[in-house]
Amino acid sequence: ANERCTARGTQKLVRRPHLLRSSMLWCIRTCIVAACVRVAISQGGARSLRLAANSKVLGTGLGFGWKRSADDLDGPCSIHRVHNSFLTWDVFEDDFLERAPLVITGLEAGNQVFRRKCSRAALLSDWANTRITLSTANTHSHDKKRVTLQTYVDRHMEPQKENITGRDTLYHFGDNDHAEWEPLFRHYKLPPFIPDSAHTALSWGLAGPNSGVPFHIHGAGYSEPIHGRKRWFLFPPDKRPLFDPNETTLMWLKKHLPNASTVSEFKQCTVHPGEAIYFPSKWWHATLNLDESVFMSTFVRYTHPNHLVSSRRARHNWHNATRLRPLDAHLPLANPEQDNQEF
């Protein structure tokens, strides 16, 4: 504690022993929590890391006008789930940053205003006549179409049909005019562990039940459901999954999920409102919206603290000194590598 204080602050601690005891207890608690998280990680298994028991899951959008799907396509979770209050920058950097996906829970309070503004009634009241860009829901998303938000909600958010291919399905995700949507996007709070030095880009979307994007890769980032649940399927960069770029994620789930589940590196999890998933660069991933869904992704290009400072304490101080930053510009996405091994 003394090392983090100025000379004046140190003298104050000496004159007031109870402050010194409080500082020492805070440091001890922080170290114990970090050690417990690391032990749980080292022992393996997402179950040991279900520290989200005290967090309140916000359901699926009920009460905000968005419907929960009658289909039950939820599944198990094989990704570490850790409550935000238990995470430190050192744990995130050492165990997850560009290493493994992570579901961060306990984020309910951060986006309450944005969640209200993304209710069905609020969006259609404020943005019904605003034109948005739809993309085909296949891996390459080549075809585009412009419609109003009202038209999209009325005509394109029905549950995905299993016999309709991705190139025949229109989906709104990204291609946002950030200047036009700034009155809404400025209310969004970024997920944790995004320092001020990082370059960020937001992609907002809406989709119907059983829709999603098939396997693809790009840079690192986070995805946060605002309303509705989103199921994730991931493979590391060197384990290219077997998939048809023009099939929907729903088709892939029906045909390939049983075989994919036998691959030890395969990860899956359902992410709820009040949670966010971190995905490292070039991890293959596909998504399936389980309900009528509103969601935000934050693509991140980190300026890694190791490039700036050398010691762990300096990196820790570097992180504490940073603040969340707003969106600047969209980041270019990586092209899929064609020579990865298929599973």
Side-chain angles (χ1 to χ4, degrees):
N2 287 344
E3 292 178 7
R4 298 176 58 186
C5 296
T6 61
R8 180 178 300 177
T10 303
Q11 293 173 4
K12 183 182 295 184
L13 288 178
V14 172
R15 292 196 304 268
R16 300 181 181 180
H18 67 283
L19 293 180
L20 179 59
R21 286 194 299 270
S22 298
S23 298
M24 293 176 65
L25 288 173
W26 180 87
C27 292
I28 292 170
R29 177 188 177 277
T30 302
C31 293
I32 290 175
V33 168
C36 289
V37 171
R38 282 208 172 90
V39 168
I41 292 171
S42 66
Q43 290 176 348
R47 183 176 301 175
S48 64
L49 275 171
R50 291 187 183 277
L51 303 176
N54 294 326
S55 72
K56 177 184 176 184
V57 176
L58 296 178
T60 62
L62 300 178
F64 292 91
W66 302 110
K67 298 177 183 177
R68 183 187 179 102
S69 174
D71 297 331
D72 186 13
L73 295 179
D74 201 355
C77 182
S78 56
I79 298 176
H80 292 312
R81 294 169 57 86
V82 186
H83 194 281
N84 184 44
S85 64
F86 286 86
L87 279 171
T88 65
W89 170 257
D90 287 338
V91 171
F92 177 73
E93 180 187 12
D94 292 345
D95 297 310
F96 299 105
L97 183 61
E98 295 295 7
R99 288 176 172 83
L102 167 69
V103 175
I104 304 175
T105 68
L107 305 180
E108 297 87 356
N111 277 305
Q112 291 181 356
V113 173
F114 188 71
R115 188 168 290 110
R116 289 196 299 270
K117 290 183 175 293
C118 287
S119 71
R120 182 187 179 102
L123 284 177
L124 293 181
S125 173
D126 298 338
W127 303 95
N129 296 320
T130 304
R131 298 181 69 81
I132 59 176
T133 300
L134 309 185
S135 304
T136 52
N138 53 359
T139 295
H140 305 296
S141 301
H142 289 315
D143 298 330
K144 309 285 185 180
K145 182 178 180 179
R146 295 276 290 175
V147 300
T148 65
L149 181 65
Q150 183 76 64
T151 299
Y152 177 69
V153 171
D154 291 344
R155 300 181 185 178
H156 298 284
M157 288 189 64
E158 293 297 318
Q160 175 75 48
K161 296 180 180 179
E162 191 173 341
N163 61 339
I164 303 298
T165 65
R167 60 186 165 196
D168 297 318
T169 302
L170 291 172
Y171 187 79
H172 179 56
F173 175 55
D175 288 313
N176 309 125
D177 184 334
H178 292 284
E180 185 174 21
W181 287 89
E182 192 274 340
L184 175 65
F185 290 176
R186 63 187 173 89
H187 295 286
Y188 180 69
K189 306 295 184 182
L190 295 180
F193 306 110
I194 302 180
D196 189 52
S197 60
H199 301 283
T200 60
L202 299 181
S203 285
W204 181 74
L206 300 90
N210 303 338
S211 64
V213 178
F215 281 99
H216 60 287
I217 58 174
H218 48 60
Y222 297 79
S223 177
E224 180 176 357
I226 306 303
H227 298 297
R229 300 163 295 162
K230 186 185 289 285
R231 190 174 175 186
W232 282 71
F233 310 96
L234 303 100
F235 285 89
D238 61 341
K239 301 293 182 182
R240 188 183 194 276
L242 179 63
F243 70 97
D244 182 336
N246 287 317
E247 288 185 344
T248 63
T249 304
L250 181 63
M251 291 177 171
W252 179 89
L253 182 146
K254 302 288 187 180
K255 292 171 59 175
H256 298 295
L257 181 59
N259 288 334
S261 299
T262 65
V263 179
S264 60
E265 296 88 350
F266 171 65
K267 305 292 184 184
Q268 62 174 313
C269 197
T270 297
V271 186
H272 300 76
E275 303 175 346
I277 184 172
Y278 165 76
F279 49 88
S281 300
K282 296 188 177 180
W283 272 63
W284 292 94
H285 57 279
T287 59
L288 183 73
N289 299 296
L290 300 184
D291 310 297
E292 289 186 341
S293 300
V294 183
F295 43 89
M296 181 72 86
S297 289
T298 306
F299 298 99
V300 185
R301 183 179 296 152
Y302 285 92
T303 301
H304 201 279
N306 283 342
H307 298 165
L308 305 175
V309 293
S310 57
S311 70
R312 176 175 292 275
R313 178 170 297 279
R315 295 200 304 272
H316 178 73
N317 291 340
W318 168 88
H319 177 258
N320 287 341
T322 59
R323 301 187 305 274
L324 298 185
R325 68 192 305 276
L327 168 76
D328 44 21
H330 188 73
L331 301 179
L333 304 184
N335 292 322
E337 297 176 356
Q338 301 301 323
D339 57 351
N340 289 332
Q341 186 177 1
E342 292 189 355
F343 284 85

